[in-house]
Amino acid sequence: MVFKVFLFLILVVPAVMAGTPRKPIDVPFQKNYNPTWAADHIKYIDGGKQATLSLDKSTGTGFQSKGTYLFGHFSMQIKMVPGDSAGTVTAFYLSSQNSEHDEIDFEFLGNRSGQPYILQTNVFSGGKGDREQRIYLWFDPTKDYHSYSVLWNMRQIVFFVDDVPIRVFKNSKDLGVRYPFNQPMKIYSSLWNADDWATRGGIEKTDWSKAPFVAAYKGFHIDGCEASAPYSLCPTLGRRWWDQKEFDDLDGLQWRKLKWVRSKYTIYNYCSDRVRYPKLSPECSRDRDI
């Protein structure tokens, strides 16, 4: 109800609209992805239009994209592990493969029954991460599918939950902050046990009597510039919808949605952690995290 009221209030306020990400096309799993490990723990439904990942005491599982991409819009519809999911992590992320790697992360941290999921995001650039942000969601992610997506171009990286931007990471190269721009990445997803840290810092352990833990997926479309060779540049600046001028920044409506998430649902932001980071990271101001 609170979310509906919020949407009504911001929609009636005039705003200069920037770009809205296009709705992904539904395609089967096999078109764009392959299992990475424990393929027997992935089950395909309706010819691959849906897939489930399962975690038991022996192993979790995961998959990765067939292609490697430099910029684009990458989305997945996921229904999280229901019930007592403490200790489990469902991850959806992009990553390059080298020592100074780039990475863009969604990590969904399970919890005891009745407690909310925590969504942790992070951005690695040139091997440097430690940019964690954590939020609660304004809905139960175990009840239905929701879309989790990343828009990545030369100007910004935007994390979306459905159509709500929950985080922005701007290109702040001029401030001395490295930005992912020249290392193609694959898209990955996995379900695995991380009870040494995932729930209350590792206090809550995975209850294996509740196994198997199952997460469901659909919507396996990828809209990115494929770059098969490492460090190859993508010659599409201004030619793809996600690389148009309107995607250089959020518009007023999108910034208000992001402000709402930060004020109501954010539980940790590295930009405001003066104990861990006595000196403010340069990108925090540009990203409006403070």
Side-chain angles (χ1 to χ4, degrees):
M1 180 63 184
V2 173
F3 183 55
K4 291 180 179 178
V5 172
F6 161 76
L7 284 180
F8 171 78
L9 290 174
I10 61 175
L11 285 171
V12 298
V13 179
V16 177
M17 294 301 293
T20 300
R22 291 183 181 178
K23 185 176 180 181
I25 301 168
D26 287 335
V27 298
F29 176 95
Q30 296 86 348
K31 179 177 176 62
N32 290 318
Y33 290 96
N34 283 322
T36 310
W37 48 291
D40 61 330
H41 281 53
I42 301 178
K43 180 181 178 181
Y44 305 103
I45 303 166
D46 193 16
K49 291 182 179 179
Q50 299 181 53
T52 60
L53 274 60
S54 65
L55 164 69
D56 56 33
K57 200 167 186 177
S58 66
T59 185
T61 188
F63 59 86
Q64 69 179 38
S65 62
K66 295 178 180 180
T68 306
Y69 301 89
L70 193 64
F71 309 126
H73 181 246
F74 309 96
S75 65
M76 190 70 67
Q77 294 183 55
I78 311 174
K79 183 161 54 174
M80 300 299 160
V81 175
D84 188 340
S85 58
T88 70
V89 173
T90 306
F92 172 56
Y93 61 103
L94 288 79
S95 182
S96 63
Q97 298 298 310
N98 49 24
S99 59
E100 294 189 352
H101 79 293
D102 295 336
E103 188 168 312
I104 304 168
D105 295 339
F106 282 101
E107 290 184 310
F108 301 87
L109 314 182
N111 217 328
R112 292 291 177 219
S113 297
Q115 298 298 313
Y117 259 82
I118 291 174
L119 169 52
Q120 175 172 285
T121 60
N122 203 351
V123 176
F124 287 76
S125 54
K128 182 189 182 304
D130 298 327
R131 298 186 177 102
E132 296 93 346
Q133 294 185 10
R134 290 185 172 190
I135 68 169
Y136 291 133
L137 296 166
W138 48 95
F139 54 84
D140 183 344
T142 72
K143 297 298 185 183
D144 204 353
Y145 286 98
H146 288 269
S147 176
Y148 306 96
S149 62
V150 170
L151 188 146
W152 169 36
N153 59 32
M154 273 293 290
R155 275 79 62 188
Q156 63 177 353
I157 296 167
V158 186
F159 295 76
F160 288 93
V161 173
D162 294 326
D163 65 342
V164 178
I166 64 163
R167 181 174 185 174
V168 173
F169 185 79
K170 292 286 189 178
N171 187 337
S172 298
K173 185 179 179 181
D174 59 314
L175 301 179
V177 179
R178 295 181 67 171
Y179 183 82
F181 79 98
N182 67 343
Q183 300 190 74
M185 300 195 236
K186 283 184 177 290
I187 304 110
Y188 299 86
S189 191
S190 58
L191 173 60
W192 51 292
N193 177 47
D195 66 3
D196 57 332
W197 66 271
T199 307
R200 296 183 60 205
I203 295 174
E204 300 283 358
K205 300 299 183 181
T206 304
D207 182 354
W208 293 111
S209 71
K210 303 294 195 302
F213 303 97
V214 178
Y217 292 72
K218 66 178 183 178
F220 301 102
H221 179 62
I222 295 174
D223 193 341
C225 179
E226 189 162 359
S228 57
Y231 301 101
S232 62
L233 296 178
C234 196
T236 62
L237 289 177
R239 300 178 190 173
R240 304 289 281 270
W241 68 263
W242 38 259
D243 214 9
Q244 300 299 310
K245 183 70 175 177
E246 59 263 37
F247 295 100
D248 284 1
D249 196 3
L250 302 184
D251 62 28
L253 174 62
Q254 291 169 328
W255 277 116
R256 286 193 292 276
K257 288 181 178 181
L258 178 54
K259 183 179 179 180
W260 174 75
V261 171
R262 287 171 172 167
S263 64
K264 298 292 186 181
Y265 295 99
T266 296
I267 56 176
Y268 177 81
N269 188 334
Y270 77 105
C271 288
S272 56
D273 189 343
R274 297 279 71 80
V275 174
R276 187 178 174 195
Y277 305 108
K279 184 178 179 181
L280 182 70
S281 297
E283 71 273 12
C284 291
S285 296
R286 180 166 290 172
D287 299 341
R288 303 191 193 180
D289 277 308
I290 57 171

